[in-house]
Amino acid sequence: MAHVPVLLNEVVEAMAPRDGDVLVDGTFGGGGYARALLAAADCTLIGIDRDGDAIRRAMEIAKSQPRLVPLLGQFGDIKQLLASASMPAVDAITLDLGVSSFQLDEAERGFSFMRDGPLDMRMGQSGPSAADVVNQMDERDLATIFFRLGEEKQSRRIARAIKERRLKSPFTSTLDLANLIEETLGGRRGSRTHPATRSFQAIRMFVNDELGELARALTASEEVLKEGGRLVIVTFHSLEDRMVKLFMRERSGLQGGGSRHMPEKLDGPRPSFEMPSKKAVEPSDAEIQANPRARSSRLRVAVRTDAPPMALPVSTGVDLPDLSGLEAAS
């Protein structure tokens, strides 16, 4: 199974690993970043993932690479996970957000409709699944999820069609839901992407609380990174990229409104981060051609200062329904 890390060279350069460093890959996945970072310096790398399959892969690698320390858990809990490994402070953290190639390519995980499989999408393989959301969620809440997380303009139409269909029989498979959405929207109409793409993305992000998880991880990074520590994040979704950009700018004391003639004003506490560049790194045309999944990726970097954490709340920027009330029936 092929696994191609996105912006690999750029991530390694931004992490700047040195001998003796303790690094964190908070989204271990297939281990592409981890292998490259371990090869770049005599460092220790803590590989975190909520997916048990990913941690099993990490444990196999760790048999021949003792500098890799696999930890099962959510990267939003990075502070607690590091404390449990007796490594409360680290030199760099990288996060590769979204779904991994392994999860997409395994039909039984239910992340993609390219192959039929159970309507699951749970990265941690526990809790309410995508089927639970589709079959139990109120029509208005479903429309909100599609619109807010998938930026789907036909969100209400899709939610209404789902509600009407599930009265006859529940949704259980990825193709069943994808076909319903395609029929509802009248087919592809010349589009290169499947009509269900945005809706599937929205359900996945909701099931896994991906924006909430990112908010918790950003807050924790401010507490666990040493002075000079690097925070390196690769995003694939506009909402995620906006969260990361706003967090890094705020923690760097950049309030906006500046110009090339007058610097931006610094207000409030001392900045806890510095940004080497305010501009995101994007994949080259050659990388996009070789790996189409890299097309929407953006890399942002911030460096920890010696200032105490600002301890300001990190907003996801969207209001979403509550997932906790759903019964995990599948």
Side-chain angles (χ1 to χ4, degrees):
M1 184 182 301
H3 172 72
V4 183
V6 172
L7 293 167
L8 177 61
N9 294 333
E10 292 83 351
V11 166
V12 173
E13 180 180 356
M15 291 284 280
R18 299 166 298 184
D19 292 352
D21 276 357
V22 177
L23 313 180
V24 176
D25 181 351
T27 48
F28 184 84
Y33 292 153
R35 288 186 179 92
L37 291 167
L38 287 167
D42 186 14
C43 57
T44 297
L45 188 135
I46 301 172
I48 297 173
D49 208 296
R50 64 161 69 172
D51 190 332
D53 291 345
I55 293 302
R56 281 186 281 275
R57 285 191 291 270
M59 293 177 70
E60 284 298 314
I61 297 172
K63 290 179 180 178
S64 58
Q65 179 49 274
R67 290 186 286 118
L68 172 62
V69 181
L71 292 178
L72 176 64
Q74 300 179 186
F75 60 72
D77 297 327
I78 190 171
K79 183 177 179 180
Q80 297 90 323
L81 290 168
L82 290 175
S84 71
S86 299
M87 296 181 182
V90 297
D91 298 286
I93 298 171
T94 185
L95 302 175
D96 177 16
L97 304 180
V99 64
S100 76
S101 299
F102 287 92
Q103 291 166 334
L104 282 173
D105 293 338
E106 294 174 359
E108 62 270 20
R109 299 299 301 275
F111 284 96
S112 172
F113 46 80
M114 299 305 293
R115 302 180 184 86
D116 197 18
L119 194 56
D120 194 326
M121 301 193 195
R122 295 171 295 183
M123 293 180 179
Q125 303 180 21
S126 63
S129 68
D132 297 322
V133 170
V134 171
N135 291 319
Q136 298 179 39
M137 190 70 70
D138 176 84
E139 177 185 342
R140 179 179 296 181
D141 288 342
L142 274 177
T144 297
I145 293 167
F146 295 143
F147 183 74
R148 297 293 185 193
L149 296 180
E151 300 174 327
E152 174 55 70
K153 296 179 180 179
Q154 300 295 323
S155 58
R156 293 181 181 178
R157 190 175 171 189
I158 295 171
R160 189 180 308 115
I162 289 174
K163 179 183 178 181
E164 293 174 355
R165 208 321 284 281
R166 74 189 185 191
L167 291 174
K168 303 174 184 176
S169 60
F171 291 90
T172 59
S173 75
T174 55
L175 281 186
D176 188 14
L177 178 59
N179 290 338
L180 183 279
I181 295 174
E182 184 173 17
E183 293 170 6
T184 301
L185 299 184
R188 299 197 182 194
R189 297 182 178 179
S191 173
R192 293 195 304 171
T193 59
H194 193 284
T197 299
R198 288 186 293 271
S199 299
F200 266 65
Q201 172 184 266
I203 296 170
R204 187 207 79 217
M205 293 181 70
F206 181 70
V207 164
N208 296 289
D209 187 25
E210 293 182 33
L211 295 184
E213 193 71 11
L214 175 57
R216 291 186 287 274
L218 292 172
T219 299
S221 70
E222 191 178 25
E223 300 179 359
V224 302
L225 279 170
K226 301 175 184 177
E227 178 184 351
R230 283 83 63 200
L231 179 60
V232 180
I233 302 182
V234 177
T235 65
F236 293 85
H237 190 283
S238 59
L239 291 175
E240 294 171 339
D241 186 55
R242 184 176 68 182
M243 281 180 63
V244 173
K245 178 175 67 175
L246 290 178
F247 171 83
M248 291 182 174
R249 287 179 61 86
E250 180 184 59
R251 266 39 175 198
S252 299
L254 303 177
Q255 303 299 323
S259 70
R260 61 179 180 175
H261 303 295
M262 183 175 293
E264 296 174 278
K265 296 175 65 176
L266 296 176
D267 296 314
R270 287 196 299 128
S272 55
F273 281 95
E274 295 176 345
M275 295 177 66
S277 172
K278 288 187 287 185
K279 187 176 181 181
V281 177
E282 300 182 11
S284 66
D285 292 340
E287 179 170 7
I288 293 173
Q289 185 173 6
N291 181 15
R293 288 176 179 171
R295 181 177 293 107
S296 60
S297 63
R298 301 290 182 272
L299 169 66
R300 295 188 185 272
V301 183
V303 180
R304 190 69 171 86
T305 69
D306 64 348
M310 288 188 179
L312 298 174
V314 178
S315 173
T316 63
V318 295
D319 292 323
L320 295 170
D322 187 6
L323 177 65
S324 61
L326 292 186
E327 179 181 354
S330 53

